Amino acid sequence: MTSAWTEPAPVTVRVPAKVNLELLVGPPREDGYHPLSTVYQAVGIYDEITVRPADTWSVTVTGPFADLVPADDTNLALRAARLLGGDAVDAAPVAVSIYKRIPVAGGMAGGSADAAGALVACDALWNLGLHKEELEEIAVELGSDVPFLITGGTAMGSGRGELLAPVLAHGTFHWVFALSDTGLSTPAVYAECDRLRGDAPVAMPAPKPEMMAALRSGDAHALAAVLENDLQEAAFSLRPDLGGVLAEGLGLGALGGIVSGSGPTIAFLVEDKEAGIDLAVSLTASGLCPDVRRASGPVHGAHVLHGSRSS
Ligand code: C5P
């Protein structure tokens, strides 16, 4: 008699990048992390994470930024799969494949997105049926913004960025991202922020009512006026060329611009899709940034795909 057991089919998850619309940073905590008050928005630049049953744990990376991602035990997606496998089910190994479109070390949560994607993919492969909240609890162990990449949309983050609360936001916002050739290390940018502040007293961060009002209005002009990132000065200090990119985009008609997370990507908010195409063309022609991407947000967090390129 033949066995009825069949190996589970591979699962592919699509997971977005993020931009911080507001990133307010407090004084360092005893554990070295900084208390944050942030507003995340998930934007439509996606990595795809595929997991399939295998004899040993492994990870492979393809796509535009593949060369910059470690394909070894330090890979965050592989660590996420192993963590969930160990915690939840003592699971058999999986082979993880990543199709990478989110810039690496760009301030858009590329590594965190892959970790979030791997958790959602393994949950589906192993039929665990975990709730979003349960996955987010595991996600915290992998990085401060991994829980947000599971949630997606627009959300407030506090604590070190991992404590999420919903935000009432209307409409769709259109973004143009000016990428960099080289990344910035997140710990280095936080350390530079502390260094620049010196001994000056730093208040605990709190969400700003103006940001909440702008998001409720759905008005890109209102949102552009309140974009704020406490890490921007530190990113500029480490990468003085970024100031020129920001000024260029604003001069070319962006409604607003900001360093994305810890940088070095610069995020420009534009009126609509057409304005985004115009700005992307002009920024590319300026020669100031090697690569430009357009995306809109908010979009959903990590979700299972059926019939994708990498499954
Ligand atoms: O949490 P995650 O691993 O993504 O953080 C990477 C690094 O960024 C931390 O080791 C820390 O140096 C810095 N960080 C911080 N405060 C936060 C988040 C990150 O200092 N709230």
Side-chain angles (χ1 to χ4, degrees):
M1 207 174 94
T2 53
S3 158
W5 188 84
T6 51
E7 191 170 85
V11 174
T12 296
V13 162
R14 204 156 86 130
V15 60
K18 64 87 182 158
V19 58
N20 301 76
L21 311 177
E22 180 170 272
L23 179 47
L24 308 177
V25 179
R29 308 191 310 202
E30 273 186 3
D31 63 4
Y33 282 96
H34 294 70
L36 302 183
S37 175
T38 191
V39 177
Y40 296 107
Q41 180 158 95
V43 295
I45 298 174
Y46 297 98
D47 282 356
E48 283 167 28
I49 316 300
T50 301
V51 295
R52 65 189 86 229
D55 293 332
T56 54
W57 297 92
S58 69
V59 61
T60 53
V61 190
T62 53
F65 302 105
D67 295 352
L68 303 170
V69 182
D72 57 25
D73 282 347
T74 65
N75 182 283
L76 211 53
L78 181 58
R79 282 176 48 207
R82 292 183 110 143
L83 182 66
L84 184 64
D87 267 15
V89 279
D90 196 16
V94 296
V96 180
S97 350
I98 302 173
Y99 188 84
K100 189 105 205 96
R101 295 191 194 85
I102 304 174
V104 176
M108 300 189 74
S112 300
D114 297 345
L119 290 179
V120 172
C122 288
D123 175 63
L125 184 79
W126 295 327
N127 248 322
L128 304 181
L130 294 178
H131 290 125
K132 220 180 207 184
E133 293 73 22
E134 292 172 293
L135 284 175
E136 285 175 7
E137 244 171 63
I138 300 166
V140 174
E141 294 183 43
L142 296 153
S144 308
D145 46 17
V146 182
F148 173 70
L149 277 312
I150 293 177
T151 297
T154 306
M156 266 180 49
S158 59
R160 60 181 167 96
E162 85 284 23
L163 304 174
L164 301 175
V167 163
L168 184 62
H170 287 116
T172 294
F173 296 101
H174 298 272
W175 297 94
V176 174
F177 296 98
L179 311 191
S180 260
D181 268 340
T182 50
L184 270 176
S185 140
T186 302
V189 176
Y190 275 99
E192 181 66 2
C193 175
D194 293 338
R195 192 188 70 79
L196 291 172
R197 285 171 166 178
D199 295 331
V202 179
M204 284 299 284
K208 300 223 171 136
E210 300 83 352
M211 171 57 70
M212 298 303 139
L215 286 169
R216 268 198 311 276
S217 76
D219 176 6
H221 293 261
L223 182 60
V226 294
L227 296 172
E228 187 171 355
N229 183 354
D230 281 351
L231 295 178
Q232 181 154 308
E233 205 187 329
F236 283 1
S237 167
L238 297 174
R239 281 281 306 275
D241 60 306
L242 296 179
V245 179
L246 180 59
E248 182 75 10
L250 294 174
L252 288 167
L255 301 178
I258 195 169
V259 165
S260 182
S262 55
T265 304
I266 308 273
F268 293 106
L269 189 57
V270 291
E271 179 89 49
D272 51 25
K273 191 173 170 189
E274 286 64 39
I277 294 170
D278 287 348
L279 180 61
V281 169
S282 306
L283 268 177
T284 305
S286 77
L288 285 181
C289 53
D291 210 349
V292 177
R293 294 277 193 281
R294 287 185 300 111
S296 58
V299 297
H300 290 299
H303 54 279
V304 174
L305 262 194
H306 300 281
S308 85
R309 92 171 34 235
S310 44
S311 59

